[in-house]
Structure formats: C-alpha cells, structure tokens
Amino acid sequence: MITPVLETARLQLRPPNAADFEPLCAMMADEVTARFIGGVQSPPLAWRSLCGIAGHWQLRGYGFFSVIEKATGKWLGRVGPWYPHGWPQPEIGWTLNRESWGKGYATEAAIACMDYAFDTLGWDSVIHLIHADNRGSQAVAGRIGSANTGREVEVPGFGILVDVWGQSATDWRANRSAISADHARPSV
C-alpha cells in the first residue's frame, strides 16, 4: 500500500507509526482534550486506538494522519479522513494536543485533508461529528466552510450525541477559493 504524506507550510501529515504511541497516550490522558471524543483513555486503550487507526489505513486505504510540526518534529495530534463501521458517512476529523490549540494547526491540517478527500479520494461530501459544546471544533469547521446540518447522531460505539457538520465537494471548491493563500494546496 502506498501511503501519502501531505505537506503544508508548517505541518507534515503522515500515516501513524509506533513512535506516535507515547504522545498519543499523553493527549488521551488529558481530560480537557479527550472530553468530546469519548473521554480519557488508559495506555492500553490508546494502544488499541492507534492500532485501529493503522488498521483503518490498511482496510480503507486512508485514515487519520499524524500531524507533525515541521519546525520541531513534534507530534501534535491526528487529523484526517475517517470512515469507521457505523459512521453516517465519511468524515474529516481532528484532535490535537492542548499545547497546539489556538495556533491554527487544526485548520491548516483540516484544509489539507479536505483537499485530499475531494481531490484524491474522490469523495462527494464530508461530515464532521462535533459535540454541541465543542466550540473549538465548531470554529475549525466554520473556518473551512462547513456548516451545522441540523442533524444529530449518536457516535457508534460511544453513546455520545453529536451534531453533524459538513459540506459537499461542490461547496468545498467554492469555499476553497476564498480560503487564505496561507493555506495553499498541500503537496503530496
């Protein structure tokens, strides 16, 4: 399987590997970061999560990318196309460690993944499953042109009710032209 690596101005997005385990454990041990994505995970559960993401890559040919800050080589979190069993449709999701919040990394990575989903994977539309109280993720979705669809779904396997945000490929192409030149199309 050929696995892509996306490059943006400040970030490298690559498939996950075993070196991501320790920073993933730290991120998933943070109650504030994990509160809208199923809660804190112990290291054994974080390992299963990492293996699930790696397995998603094997089974679907895409999945969450590990987000690496190019300047430091630091693992920041995970962002990318995701379509687990039971999901209402393919999603672009994001979770970054708390130290990365407020720097525009989630938006930068999400834009690269939206381009990848529509231009490379050929998706017709994407969603983002966002808890009604998760203002940070709602802001990222808004910055990339997605809107709350007015639908609410339960995240399969987690028992969490979330709002469905999203947009079509046609909407993305119109929205993409309005996004700042700071967010140029990623190189693959």
Side-chain angles (χ1 to χ4, degrees):
M1 178 176 74
I2 297 173
T3 54
V5 174
L6 307 181
E7 300 273 343
T8 69
R10 301 179 297 163
L11 305 172
Q12 179 188 69
L13 284 70
R14 60 155 174 76
N17 63 45
D20 301 338
F21 178 59
E22 292 300 326
L24 174 65
C25 284
M27 182 177 80
M28 294 309 298
D30 179 35
E31 289 182 19
V32 174
T33 300
R35 70 182 158 181
F36 297 124
I37 57 170
V40 169
Q41 290 183 349
S42 65
L45 290 179
W47 176 256
R48 288 181 183 184
S49 175
L50 179 62
C51 291
I53 292 168
H56 193 282
W57 273 97
Q58 287 296 315
L59 296 174
R60 296 237 191 244
Y62 60 86
F64 279 127
F65 290 96
S66 286
V67 180
I68 310 300
E69 185 180 44
K70 286 162 76 168
T72 64
K74 182 177 179 183
W75 186 92
L76 305 179
R78 58 190 184 198
V79 176
W82 183 241
Y83 191 26
H85 175 76
W87 245 237
Q89 72 183 73
E91 175 182 26
I92 299 290
W94 48 82
T95 304
L96 296 182
N97 62 36
R98 196 162 15 144
E99 300 85 51
S100 302
W101 294 1
K103 298 178 182 176
Y105 291 138
T107 300
E108 187 173 329
I111 289 167
C113 290
M114 295 286 282
D115 284 339
Y116 180 72
F118 291 126
D119 297 342
T120 302
L121 299 177
W123 289 3
D124 294 329
S125 63
V126 301
I127 61 168
H128 322 288
L129 300 182
I130 303 175
H131 192 280
D133 296 333
N134 189 342
R135 302 291 180 240
S137 281
Q138 292 168 9
V140 171
R143 282 193 289 278
I144 64 173
S146 290
N148 189 330
T149 66
R151 291 182 8 220
E152 185 179 68
V153 298
E154 182 177 323
V155 178
F158 288 88
I160 302 168
L161 289 176
V162 293
D163 295 328
V164 179
W165 289 63
Q167 62 184 298
S168 69
T170 301
D171 290 339
W172 172 248
R173 288 181 180 89
N175 292 331
R176 184 64 172 100
S177 64
I179 293 174
S180 167
D182 292 341
H183 297 291
R185 293 198 182 275
S187 59
V188 178

